[in-house]
Amino acid sequence: MTTDLDHVRPDDTPAEPATPEKVWNSMLDGNTRFLTGVPEHPHQDVERRNELRSVQMPVAALFGCSDSRLAAEIIFDLGLGDLFVIRNAGQVIGDSVIGSLEYATEILGVPLIVVLGHDACGAVSAAITAQRAGAPRLPPHIEHLIEPILPAVRRVTDSLDPARTGEEPSPVDVGREHLRDTAAELLNRSPLIAQRVADGRLGILTANYHLHNGRVTADTVLGFGVRSAPATATATATATATA
């Protein structure tokens, strides 16, 4: 079974250039199939497995939360070899994550990095709870894990109305801030990735997965529209980012 991604897959003689816009719109098509209950389950057969014995050509890298409800290939209705996936609790940037994403972009040549968060994230909730007065200490490794989320908690907390005593920051707002922080930190800590974005060879998109309906919505985009792409693809990506 073929998908739209087969037509944007980078190879020696691509049918179409693999731009971030085209890859993302194809991924959105897969998400629509998933959330409406008509997935195609592409690239999951013996033939596909045999094709990938000695080579991989993913069309995008995805860095997301390791929550068991956030299985990337399922929610985008993809299969073997389609995505280069890195996951940890709370999608927290670290050296292994950066190295993996640099490998995906520099060696595998993916044109798009998707940073995927979701609502009801346990790591975000833990970070909010940890900021309460008198909150018990978390186990050391979990405490270290959520440290990068704390700046988002503090910013959202500082934006609350001081007259509303006891109000806690919204997990949705904290999750969105942390998602944007993650993309910014990736660019700050990886000159290689930042340069590829600046050169128009790579796009970065942050997105949220909604547990109640299975829909993925884009939040911010970087590097889209730098290279020539059909206006409809760029418009769709931009519209989604502002939804």
Side-chain angles (χ1 to χ4, degrees), residues 64-71 86-91 116 118 145:
C65 181
S66 57
D67 191 294
S68 61
R69 300 165 290 181
L70 205 68
I86 306 101
R87 297 171 67 186
N88 64 29
Q91 78 273 351
L116 184 64
H118 66 101
L145 177 73

Side-chain angles (χ1 to χ4, degrees), residues 11 71 124:
D11 56 30
V124 168

Side-chain angles (χ1 to χ4, degrees), residues 204-217:
I204 297 177
L205 181 143
T206 66
N208 277 291
Y209 175 71
H210 304 282
L211 295 172
H212 70 284
N213 62 9
R215 186 178 298 278
V216 177
T217 55

Side-chain angles (χ1 to χ4, degrees), residues 159-242:
S159 71
L160 298 177
D161 185 350
R164 301 175 66 174
T165 306
E167 183 180 9
E168 285 200 337
S170 160
V172 173
D173 293 340
V174 172
R176 182 172 54 247
E177 287 294 306
H178 169 58
L179 189 65
R180 296 172 181 177
D181 286 350
T182 301
E185 186 175 1
L186 176 61
L187 288 171
N188 288 336
R189 292 181 58 180
S190 174
L192 185 153
I193 288 175
Q195 189 61 56
R196 291 183 76 91
V197 173
D199 292 344
R201 293 179 290 164
L202 177 68
I204 297 177
L205 181 143
T206 66
N208 277 291
Y209 175 71
H210 304 282
L211 295 172
H212 70 284
N213 62 9
R215 186 178 298 278
V216 177
T217 55
D219 179 64
T220 58
V221 294
L222 296 167
F224 277 44
V226 176
R227 292 172 293 186
S228 60
T232 53
T234 303
T236 301
T238 303
T240 305
T242 58

Side-chain angles (χ1 to χ4, degrees), residues 5 8-11 17-21 23-24 27 56-63 81-86 97-114 186 192-193 196-197 200-205 222-224 227:
L5 288 178
V8 297
R9 187 177 306 282
D11 56 30
T19 65
E21 295 89 345
V23 172
W24 175 241
M27 292 175 67
Q56 62 170 320
M57 294 180 293
V59 295
L62 185 143
F63 173 42
D82 290 329
L83 290 178
F84 188 88
V85 180
I86 306 101
V97 172
I98 295 171
S100 297
L101 290 173
E102 288 186 345
Y103 177 84
T105 58
E106 184 72 10
I107 306 303
L108 300 179
V110 300
L112 174 65
I113 293 174
V114 176
L186 176 61
L192 185 153
I193 288 175
R196 291 183 76 91
V197 173
R201 293 179 290 164
L202 177 68
I204 297 177
L205 181 143
L222 296 167
F224 277 44
R227 292 172 293 186

